[in-house]
Amino acid sequence: MANSGHVNGDNRIEKLISAGKSLKLSLEKSMSLGLALEKAGPRLEEISQRLPYLESSVRPIRADKDALRAVGGHINRAVGPAAAVIKVFDAVHGLERSLLSDPCNDLPGYLSVLKRLEEALRFLANNCGLAIQWLEDIVEYLEDNAVADHRFLSSLKKSLENLKELQNDKEKVQLDGGLFEAALDKLENEFRRLLTVNSVPLPMSSSPSLGEQACISPSPLPVAVIHKLQAILGRLIANNRLEKCISIYIEVRSSNVRASLHALNLDYLEISVSEFNDVQSIEGYIAQWGKHLEFAVKHLFEAEYKLCNDVFERIGLDVWMGCFARIAAQAGIIAFLKFGKTVTESKKDPIKLLKLLDMFASLNKLRLDFNRLFGGAECSEIQNLTRDLIKNVIEGAAEIFWEVLVQVELQRQSPPPKDGNVPRLVSIISDYCNKLVGDDYQPILAHVLVIDRSWKHQKFQERLVVNEILNLMKAIELNLETWMKAYEDPVLSNFFAMNTHWHLYKHLKGTKLGDLLGDTWLREHEQCKDYYSAILLRESWGKLPGHLSREGLILFSGGRATARDLVKKRLKKFNQVFDEMYTKQSSWIMAEEDLREKTRRLIVQTVMPVYRSYMQNYGPLVEQESTKYAKYTVQKLEEMLMSLYQPKPLRYGSCQFSGKFGNRMKDIRRTASAVV
């Protein structure tokens, strides 16, 4: 029994031990399972997340067999254009390095690469829309046949919509990322560089002899440079950048012409009418104007005209003519024309007529050049200014020519010069007439009058100019006769007559006007000079020796004291008359040096022998009172006589008139100073 109980107890213990091990094993498995479950959680989550994609991947297996079979062709048709577009995009980016380099290193190569870029962009512009359309078609097919996941299709559709929106917005989209515009900018810069580097101002002297300047080559740019400019223009014009090129060209070339003209000192072109009183004050500028204008037209603007044609000839006549017109206007041709207008608006006088004829000769000499260079519609402003200038020059010259005679006649009522000198009117008009009948001015004046009378529907007669000149000289002679009679002092009248007759003879003998007037006319004036010279001596200085009479001094028996009284009395009278005569005539003027010297010698020959002899014989009688009676030594008296009629410094002035015949007295007052 005891053994039986012991055995049963042992069995229970073994069972407990076995149960304990079993429980321990179960706990270990539970722990292992817990750890496994803990590790499997993220994987299950990942699987859970991938299930929708797996579902979409296997969806085509569940799709309709016909739809699944057709989808391949649709995809191939859509992917083909898209792949081509992407390939071209890659090619565009491959050109970037070349196009961002400097074109001057290899201009032909640069233009070739740029052309490839243009072709690529043209392909993209034409095919991007097509590729998008094909992709939209396949998306629509996939969506209609439930072949693809709706979330995938939604994302694809959104991307296509963005592409389509960009495709339609031409201003914002740049298929090349702005590379093409940057390349065009570089070409513009190269266009400017080529022009600037090769546009060198013409070296010249500001001396009046511009005709000695070396001739300029027909084109101021090398042929190779012109070809480069044309090649650049071709690409820029194809991309709507012609106006920018023209602006650059005008800026550079007009600046170059201005720099060439700068050496000529053309500041005088800016003078306004208010800045000078008459044409004489700018007479030198007018002479320069004609030479400078001829040089500018025949050399500078001629060269620019040819160059514009060379560079832009392939584009069209209107383009290069318009370009040249703007260069000419900006470079200074308008300033030349406006200066001419300023001269025509200045006060009128005979000298102005000569200057207007000079201007007409310059303009007429350039007439063919002006018509050729500035004859296009693009040069309308230059044409209008030129026409107005020529009209003002012709009408102004004709008006002065016909008005001079009237003004000379008006001067007849003015007082003659107080100093007996030759009136400025006489010297100006005689010189004026002589020039008008000379070879330099007569044909120009005739041309001007022919045009002016044709505008007025009047005929031009061959001797019209000659007859008017002869009438002017007759009017001058009548003026001289009138002025001679106007002097209250007959001696001064004779002095004035001698002066003016000699002036006319001397300055017109051997001239065109002198030949026109004839030898008889000239001899008459020479004889008149001699006649009035003789009267001058007889009526003034010739009377002076009579006051030094010797009568009573030789036969007088009253003694030395009585002789001394007679000498004193006669010397006192001589001194009184001499002082009066010298004081009066020392203010008279004889401008012609030869006449002045001859007249002085005649006076000295008339007075000095008598005075010298008298002082030698009777001077000792009054030597104690020499300062009172022997007032002048022989040497001093001769010096005083030889100083007579000395000209004063010339006054500046001219013979101006207004041209308004209705108010003649105003003209007389205003020009009276010109006579003296």
Side-chain angles (χ1 to χ4, degrees), residues 391 394-396 398-399 402 446-458:
K391 181 175 181 291
I394 291 175
E395 291 180 346
E399 181 182 0
W402 297 117
H447 193 179
V448 166
L449 294 177
V450 166
I451 296 173
D452 181 66
R453 293 179 80 83
S454 69
W455 288 348
K456 298 174 181 177
H457 306 289
Q458 299 174 348

Side-chain angles (χ1 to χ4, degrees), residues 299-313:
H299 295 278
L300 297 179
F301 292 122
E302 175 71 30
E304 292 304 319
Y305 181 87
K306 292 178 178 178
L307 183 60
C308 281
N309 180 32
D310 291 342
V311 174
F312 295 101
E313 63 177 337

Side-chain angles (χ1 to χ4, degrees), residues 243-268:
E243 284 303 319
K244 186 64 180 297
C245 292
I246 291 176
S247 297
I248 293 172
Y249 185 89
I250 292 171
E251 176 190 343
V252 175
R253 293 305 302 178
S254 60
S255 175
N256 188 68
V257 176
R258 285 196 302 271
S260 297
L261 290 173
H262 181 72
L264 298 179
N265 298 323
L266 300 180
D267 293 343
Y268 69 87

Side-chain angles (χ1 to χ4, degrees), residues 390-406:
I390 293 174
K391 181 175 181 291
N392 292 341
V393 167
I394 291 175
E395 291 180 346
E399 181 182 0
I400 294 175
F401 179 72
W402 297 117
E403 192 174 334
V404 169
L405 177 59
V406 176

Side-chain angles (χ1 to χ4, degrees), residues 77 91 155 219 315 368 416 421 447 531 533 553 614 647 663:
R77 284 194 297 272
S155 176
S219 177
I315 304 171
L368 296 178
N421 194 10
H447 193 179
Y531 171 76
S533 176
L553 294 176
Y614 199 83
N663 197 356

Side-chain angles (χ1 to χ4, degrees), residues 229-240:
L229 293 174
Q230 290 176 333
I232 294 174
L233 275 172
R235 296 269 45 86
L236 292 176
I237 292 171
N239 292 281
N240 301 318

Side-chain angles (χ1 to χ4, degrees), residues 1 23-24 119 149 171 195 209-210 313 315 430 515 545 636-637 642 650 661:
M1 290 286 296
L23 181 60
K24 184 180 179 181
E119 293 172 351
D149 179 62
E171 296 182 359
L195 281 173
S209 56
L210 291 174
E313 63 177 337
I315 304 171
S430 59
D515 294 342
K636 177 63 176 178
L637 189 69
M642 290 302 292
L650 290 175
F661 295 101

